[in-house]
Amino acid sequence: MQIHRAKTRLLLLTGFILLLTGCSISDWYNGYYVDRSSIKKYIKRSDAYYDAESPEMKELRKKNDAYCTELASKPENRVARAGYPNGVSNTAMYTLCMERRGTPTYEAYSSMQAEKRRAERRARGEIIPEYW
């Protein structure tokens, strides 16, 4: 009878140790779940940003997108990157082109909003400017 209890306890203890060392819940949460949920949140916000535009703005965005994509993809504007002998499209040039033509991308819009919030917090004294 005592041998049976010892085997059960040993089996439970071994299973519990394997469970704890084999897959950590923090690794799953911080890696897989957080990445997936942040991507979903980003896609939802960017879709809401583009869907809120007027039809005229959407038409202007299509024209600007065609122009800026062509400009950023020209061979002389490509960015050299390892593994790509012909370079890659210049994303910074594309974003700046779209912004200057009046149709900022969602990334540019969100960074402009973040900068406005930081400026407001600085004006209220919540953020103390750092001087180097």
Side-chain angles (χ1 to χ4, degrees):
M1 199 67 160
Q2 291 177 353
I3 295 173
H4 184 266
R5 285 186 184 168
K7 285 183 180 179
T8 306
R9 286 183 184 166
L10 184 62
L11 184 63
L12 287 174
L13 183 63
T14 305
F16 187 66
I17 290 171
L18 287 174
L19 180 67
L20 287 178
T21 59
C23 61
S24 174
I25 192 73
S26 65
D27 289 344
W28 174 80
Y29 182 80
N30 291 332
Y32 176 74
Y33 175 75
V34 173
D35 286 347
R36 187 181 65 172
S37 65
S38 64
I39 289 170
K40 282 183 179 179
K41 190 184 299 183
Y42 175 82
I43 290 172
K44 185 177 179 181
R45 288 180 181 171
S46 67
D47 287 346
Y49 172 73
Y50 291 123
D51 290 341
E53 292 181 339
S54 66
E56 297 83 20
M57 190 67 140
K58 288 181 181 181
E59 189 62 36
L60 179 61
R61 182 173 296 283
K62 284 181 186 177
K63 291 178 184 176
N64 289 346
D65 181 53
Y67 174 77
C68 294
T69 301
E70 191 265 330
L71 180 68
S73 298
K74 284 185 177 180
E76 62 268 14
N77 295 331
R78 291 180 157 269
V79 177
R81 186 144 319 147
Y84 296 92
N86 296 330
V88 294
S89 181
N90 194 338
T91 307
M93 180 180 277
Y94 172 81
T95 304
L96 192 60
C97 175
M98 290 292 283
E99 191 175 336
R100 285 185 177 165
R101 294 176 69 87
T103 53
T105 60
Y106 176 71
E107 295 85 10
Y109 171 76
S110 61
S111 67
M112 287 187 292
Q113 294 301 315
E115 183 56 39
K116 285 181 184 177
R117 285 191 296 274
R118 278 193 297 274
E120 289 172 0
R121 290 183 65 205
R122 224 177 279 117
R124 288 193 304 254
E126 293 177 14
I127 298 176
I128 299 171
E130 295 180 15
Y131 297 102
W132 294 83

